[in-house]
Amino acid sequence: MHGLSRDDCERLDREDPLSVWRARFELPSGVIYLDGNSLGALPVGTRQRLDELVRVQWGEDLIRSWNGNDWIGMPRRIGAKIARLIGACDDEVVAADSTSVNLFKLLAAALRLRPGRKVIVSERTNFPTDLYIIEGLIELLGQGHELRLVHAGELCDALDETVAVLVLTQVDYRSGRLHDLATLTRQAQAKGILTLWDLSHSAGAMPIELNAAGVDMAVGCGYKYLNGGPGAPAYLFIARRHQRMAPPAIAGWMGHAVPFAFAPDYRPAAGIERHLVGTPPVLGLAALEVGVDLLLGADLRLVREKSRQLGDLCLRLVEQECAAFGFERASPHDSARRGSQVAVRHPQGYAIVQALIAEGVIGDFRAPDLLRFGLAPLYLRYVDIWEAVAALRRVMASRSWDRPEFKRKATVT
Amino acid sequence: MHGLSRDDCERLDREDPLSVWRARFELPSGVIYLDGNSLGALPVGTRQRLDELVRVQWGEDLIRSWNGNDWIGMPRRIGAKIARLIGACDDEVVAADSTSVNLFKLLAAALRLRPGRKVIVSERTNFPTDLYIIEGLIELLGQGHELRLVHAGELCDALDETVAVLVLTQVDYRSGRLHDLATLTRQAQAKGILTLWDLSHSAGAMPIELNAAGVDMAVGCGYKYLNGGPGAPAYLFIARRHQRMAPPAIAGWMGHAVPFAFAPDYRPAAGIERHLVGTPPVLGLAALEVGVDLLLGADLRLVREKSRQLGDLCLRLVEQECAAFGFERASPHDSARRGSQVAVRHPQGYAIVQALIAEGVIGDFRAPDLLRFGLAPLYLRYVDIWEAVAALRRVMASRSWDRPEFKRKATVT
């Protein structure tokens, strides 16, 4: 097998059916951005939407915008759009709060739906905030619930009739390993276990079919592959069959059946709206809507296909160009088992990532030794991967990572 | 006593030490805005700040902005600024989530601080979401807590040793009645009761001295007198003495002692940061900061003084100009007992408010019969009050409110 060349990458870009999408983002020059899995890039259109929102809807229309410009409908409207990205119905998703707060709300609801069961199963390598939220809720409730953390390979064995909820993130934030959502959901449900999936690292980068898989609940974030902007509102999904069964844990006025009746007693809305809490964050929702609208125009099967190819290319080029430098693959080799990111290990990982950033290649580092590269297929070119790996080779060959400014600062605790 | 004239109002504006502030807001022409207690006006500077944030910090600096542009520090930094508006120390306030979610978090913490007490006291006329949140938490915990709702005059009698927390809103959202925060806090604390104040309808419109009064906890919203924009992030206050005592109910990664260590086990931050949950909503926080920065330049004693005068003027003019039309004052006569809003009752309140809006005078209606006028002293002129009441007289004299388009639609339940 001959080695890959820059020309090969340019050819892939010429043949890429998604190549037109790059122009729909405002990307800085001189930067190769491999962190769209952490903060998605700025869509063309977001600035104008926000300026219009602030100048006209807030500045001129003022309070009248809640109805006149349908601010009040944003959580439902944007939720319905996100639903189309994750295989849900339009009345099963709302945009609201943060991923962590939404996970808290849904986990509390799930535990109420399984009052006799006391175990929550998750994975030791799950995204930390998901684990923290579970621990915090268990402590708050004081009802003897237990968080059982297992390794991915032991999940199926851990699913028994004592388990109330299985809480998993579809794509591992470090390795990029992709769970088989449909199979795990089926295995859980065979034991009467509810499933609560965190889609933060997968939604927008691949087709997801929540209802086809029979998923019970899900949450996800708006600022990664949905390109909703820093700290964008998150979303939550509850399958229709569960929506009327549990009262919301955080019973705010936006979840009331008739919020503007200002009744002293709480009466939850019939459907998914009951899991809304406070006043919708209009600025963040507007930016999120631009990102979601953009994504709705893309064929997620093509996005997934390119994502897999970008990942394969990246891993293969690191092997080909950087074999001498001691990198070890940390992501699954099989792209069918990977999300839209790849990671490699190196003992000097932190300093290497800093040196790469100084070269204009932005990835990130995750302790203890991971270099993580996010691959957002809508705005990344194959030739960007080539250039990124070329920069990695320069950094390694010149040992530029060994400069004092790239060394890790002591962690402040 | 002679009647007040438009000339009198113009004279008051000429003598107003706050008159220069109006130019610091972008106000629509042809509108008298008496709803700043619901959505504050747009500060000059917000648009530029947001455009810079989106174009440069998000679009160009991308993920690097979390540190490079101190996005990560926004909840603390803006919290510290809000602290100066409410008589708190800079390490006692963070900007985060919505008022409802913050109330949930603090109430859960408060109940943990008083494990032997089962009663939560509030007021029947408290803002509904505050009551809903309390009811929801009681139901979630299932630990036999009880919400005891009393009338304002009975609050002191209701405070006994069974009470864990007193939850009140400083200014009533309908009548504008102002609670004596210091006295009620002292009365509660004499019985070992924690106080949790909602400052949504007061902060920014008057000096508040939380620490001087010994308040334990507080929440408030960013989009009213703080002019932070629609659905702006809210804030929460916890007195230093309580900060280390309770673990947070919603234990998210932003409340971890070392969030970016990505440790699997939760260890709460030492101080107020432990009550942060998810990724900070950067767009909303940036707009909020502009509003708060603006307010920090104003003398809140002057703001309060003008607010009282505007309220007195409004009530007096309604009496003088609209005596024939059957309005009844619903706010305290004594401005020392009022927040920055006034309300009058009328059986046709709903239609009258709609007719006023058609005349360019934006107030709002609260069931069953309240016309509510918010008085934001930084951008409202005395002559605006004159014009608003003149419009009210026209609406009443011409019976324009009686047109079909101003009639209330059936409430959808």
Side-chain angles (χ1 to χ4, degrees):
Chain A
M1 191 176 82
H2 74 97
L4 285 163
S5 67
R6 198 181 195 286
D7 283 349
D8 293 326
C9 296
E10 286 178 352
R11 181 181 45 76
L12 288 168
D13 282 321
R14 280 193 304 272
E15 295 167 357
D16 175 12
L18 295 176
S19 61
V20 296
W21 281 82
R22 182 172 166 87
R24 294 172 190 163
F25 293 87
E26 298 193 28
L27 298 164
S29 59
V31 164
I32 296 174
Y33 191 57
L34 303 178
D35 222 348
N37 56 329
S38 193
L39 173 65
L42 170 63
V44 171
T46 303
R47 288 167 55 193
Q48 194 184 332
R49 172 73 189 274
L50 280 172
D51 188 63
E52 153 94 10
L53 179 94
V54 172
R55 189 171 44 81
V56 180
Q57 296 190 6
W58 176 10
E60 294 178 15
D61 299 344
L62 285 157
I63 193 72
R64 294 168 290 190
S65 285
W66 281 107
N67 293 310
N69 292 305
D70 198 28
W71 287 352
I72 199 68
M74 292 177 94
R76 267 300 296 267
R77 183 175 78 230
I78 300 168
K81 291 176 176 181
I82 293 171
R84 292 161 57 189
L85 300 174
I86 58 178
C89 300
D90 64 4
D91 59 354
E92 292 179 316
V93 180
V94 283
D97 295 312
S98 64
T99 310
S100 299
V101 168
N102 287 335
L103 191 76
F104 178 93
K105 293 188 289 191
L106 295 198
L107 182 61
L111 294 179
R112 287 178 181 205
L113 292 174
R114 291 291 180 273
R117 298 180 175 211
K118 295 299 182 192
V119 178
I120 300 159
V121 169
S122 189
E123 204 179 351
R124 193 168 294 282
T125 56
N126 199 348
F127 192 76
T129 202
D130 295 44
L131 301 180
Y132 304 160
I133 290 289
I134 299 170
E135 293 172 33
L137 181 61
I138 288 174
E139 189 171 335
L140 178 72
L141 295 178
Q143 293 168 4
H145 288 97
E146 173 204 333
L147 171 58
R148 193 174 294 164
L149 293 179
V150 299
H151 292 289
E154 302 158 353
L155 278 167
C156 185
D157 290 342
L159 301 177
D160 61 37
E161 273 81 4
T162 65
V163 180
V165 198
L166 172 64
V167 182
L168 290 175
T169 297
Q170 189 179 12
V171 169
D172 185 276
Y173 76 105
R174 279 180 295 208
S175 70
R177 185 226 51 226
L178 174 66
H179 270 309
D180 182 344
L181 177 142
T183 300
L184 281 162
T185 298
R186 196 168 57 242
Q187 289 169 345
Q189 291 183 338
K191 302 289 173 70
I193 299 165
L194 294 168
T195 50
L196 170 41
W197 287 93
D198 183 340
L199 309 176
S200 293
H201 296 263
S202 47
M206 62 184 66
I208 296 174
E209 294 295 341
L210 292 183
N211 281 335
V215 168
D216 301 288
M217 300 176 179
V219 297
C221 111
Y223 52 79
K224 299 179 187 289
Y225 299 110
L226 270 48
N227 305 304
Y235 57 90
L236 63 87
F237 157 88
I238 306 183
R240 273 187 197 152
R241 63 188 177 280
H242 297 308
Q243 287 182 2
R244 286 169 175 268
M245 295 174 74
I250 310 182
W253 65 324
M254 288 299 137
H256 194 279
V258 201
F260 296 99
F262 294 94
D265 294 310
Y266 184 69
R267 183 157 61 88
I272 190 82
E273 299 96 323
R274 67 171 61 179
H275 292 280
L276 297 176
V277 183
T279 306
V282 172
L283 299 185
L285 285 167
L288 175 61
E289 188 164 27
V290 177
V292 172
D293 280 344
L294 187 69
L295 210 51
L296 285 173
D299 181 336
L300 284 177
R301 290 166 304 180
L302 292 179
V303 170
R304 173 63 175 156
E305 183 53 36
K306 182 176 174 185
S307 156
R308 291 172 62 167
Q309 288 185 35
L310 288 168
D312 285 345
L313 177 67
C314 187
L315 290 173
R316 190 166 157 200
L317 283 177
V318 170
E319 223 168 86
Q320 171 183 310
E321 302 292 315
C322 300
F325 305 117
F327 289 101
E328 184 190 330
R329 179 170 51 77
S331 298
H333 176 77
D334 178 3
S335 66
R337 296 185 53 236
R338 268 196 331 252
S340 200
Q341 64 192 68
V342 293
V344 294
R345 295 182 194 288
H346 194 284
Q348 299 299 334
Y350 180 86
I352 296 168
V353 166
Q354 307 317 308
L356 273 177
I357 292 173
E359 296 261 333
V361 177
I362 302 180
D364 57 16
F365 171 77
R366 285 293 175 262
D369 58 0
L370 284 189
L371 297 86
R372 189 180 74 161
F373 304 116
L375 309 165
L378 291 182
Y379 49 84
L380 216 58
R381 297 169 298 201
Y382 293 95
V383 76
D384 292 328
I385 305 297
W386 175 271
E387 295 297 347
V389 177
L392 181 62
R393 188 170 65 173
R394 281 197 305 277
V395 161
M396 300 311 293
S398 68
R399 292 182 62 88
S400 71
W401 57 264
D402 205 16
R403 289 184 210 145
E405 68 263 35
F406 299 142
K407 288 296 155 62
R408 201 169 193 182
K409 319 273 182 305
T411 306
V412 182
T413 56
Chain B
M1 192 175 82
H2 74 96
L4 285 163
S5 67
R6 198 181 195 286
D7 284 350
D8 293 325
C9 296
E10 287 178 350
R11 181 181 46 75
L12 287 168
D13 283 321
R14 281 193 304 272
E15 295 168 357
D16 175 12
L18 295 177
S19 61
V20 295
W21 281 84
R22 183 172 166 87
R24 295 172 192 164
F25 294 87
E26 297 192 28
L27 298 164
S29 59
V31 164
I32 295 174
Y33 190 57
L34 303 178
D35 221 348
N37 56 328
S38 194
L39 173 66
L42 171 62
V44 171
T46 303
R47 286 167 57 193
Q48 194 185 331
R49 172 73 189 273
L50 280 173
D51 188 62
E52 152 94 12
L53 179 94
V54 172
R55 189 171 44 81
V56 180
Q57 297 190 4
W58 176 10
E60 295 179 15
D61 300 344
L62 287 156
I63 193 72
R64 295 168 290 192
S65 285
W66 281 107
N67 293 311
N69 292 304
D70 199 29
W71 287 352
I72 199 67
M74 292 177 94
R76 268 299 297 267
R77 182 176 77 231
I78 299 168
K81 290 176 176 180
I82 293 171
R84 292 160 57 188
L85 300 174
I86 59 178
C89 300
D90 64 4
D91 58 355
E92 292 179 316
V93 180
V94 283
D97 295 312
S98 64
T99 310
S100 298
V101 168
N102 288 335
L103 191 76
F104 179 92
K105 295 188 289 191
L106 295 198
L107 183 61
L111 294 179
R112 288 179 181 205
L113 292 174
R114 291 291 179 274
R117 298 179 175 211
K118 295 297 183 192
V119 177
I120 300 158
V121 169
S122 190
E123 205 178 352
R124 193 169 295 281
T125 56
N126 199 349
F127 192 77
T129 201
D130 296 44
L131 301 180
Y132 303 161
I133 291 288
I134 300 170
E135 293 172 33
L137 181 61
I138 288 174
E139 189 171 335
L140 177 71
L141 294 179
Q143 294 168 5
H145 288 96
E146 174 203 334
L147 171 58
R148 193 174 293 163
L149 293 179
V150 299
H151 292 289
E154 302 158 353
L155 277 167
C156 184
D157 290 342
L159 301 177
D160 61 36
E161 273 80 4
T162 65
V163 180
V165 199
L166 173 64
V167 182
L168 291 176
T169 298
Q170 190 179 10
V171 169
D172 185 276
Y173 76 106
R174 280 180 295 208
S175 70
R177 185 226 50 225
L178 174 67
H179 270 308
D180 182 344
L181 177 143
T183 300
L184 281 161
T185 298
R186 196 169 57 243
Q187 288 169 344
Q189 291 183 339
K191 302 288 171 74
I193 300 165
L194 294 167
T195 50
L196 171 41
W197 287 94
D198 184 340
L199 309 176
S200 293
H201 295 263
S202 47
M206 62 184 67
I208 296 174
E209 295 294 342
L210 292 183
N211 280 335
V215 168
D216 300 288
M217 300 175 180
V219 296
C221 110
Y223 53 79
K224 298 179 187 289
Y225 299 110
L226 269 48
N227 305 304
Y235 57 90
L236 62 86
F237 157 89
I238 306 182
R240 273 187 196 153
R241 64 188 176 279
H242 297 307
Q243 287 182 0
R244 286 170 174 269
M245 294 174 75
I250 310 182
W253 66 323
M254 288 299 137
H256 195 280
V258 200
F260 296 101
F262 294 94
D265 294 310
Y266 185 69
R267 183 157 61 87
I272 190 82
E273 299 95 324
R274 67 171 60 179
H275 292 281
L276 298 175
V277 182
T279 306
V282 172
L283 300 185
L285 285 167
L288 174 61
E289 189 164 27
V290 177
V292 171
D293 280 343
L294 187 70
L295 210 51
L296 284 174
D299 182 336
L300 285 176
R301 290 166 304 181
L302 292 179
V303 170
R304 173 64 175 156
E305 184 53 36
K306 182 175 175 186
S307 155
R308 292 172 61 166
Q309 288 186 37
L310 288 168
D312 285 344
L313 177 67
C314 187
L315 290 172
R316 190 166 156 200
L317 284 177
V318 170
E319 222 168 86
Q320 171 184 310
E321 302 292 315
C322 299
F325 305 117
F327 291 101
E328 184 191 328
R329 180 171 50 78
S331 300
H333 176 76
D334 178 3
S335 65
R337 297 185 52 236
R338 269 197 329 255
S340 200
Q341 65 192 68
V342 294
V344 294
R345 295 182 193 287
H346 194 285
Q348 299 298 334
Y350 180 86
I352 296 168
V353 166
Q354 308 317 309
L356 273 176
I357 291 173
E359 296 260 334
V361 176
I362 303 180
D364 58 15
F365 171 78
R366 285 292 175 264
D369 58 359
L370 283 189
L371 298 85
R372 190 180 73 161
F373 304 117
L375 309 165
L378 291 183
Y379 49 85
L380 216 59
R381 296 169 299 202
Y382 293 94
V383 75
D384 291 328
I385 305 297
W386 176 271
E387 295 297 347
V389 177
L392 181 62
R393 187 169 65 175
R394 282 197 304 277
V395 161
M396 300 311 294
S398 68
R399 291 183 60 89
S400 71
W401 57 264
D402 205 16
R403 290 184 209 145
E405 68 264 35
F406 299 141
K407 288 297 155 63
R408 201 169 192 181
K409 318 275 181 305
T411 306
V412 182
T413 56

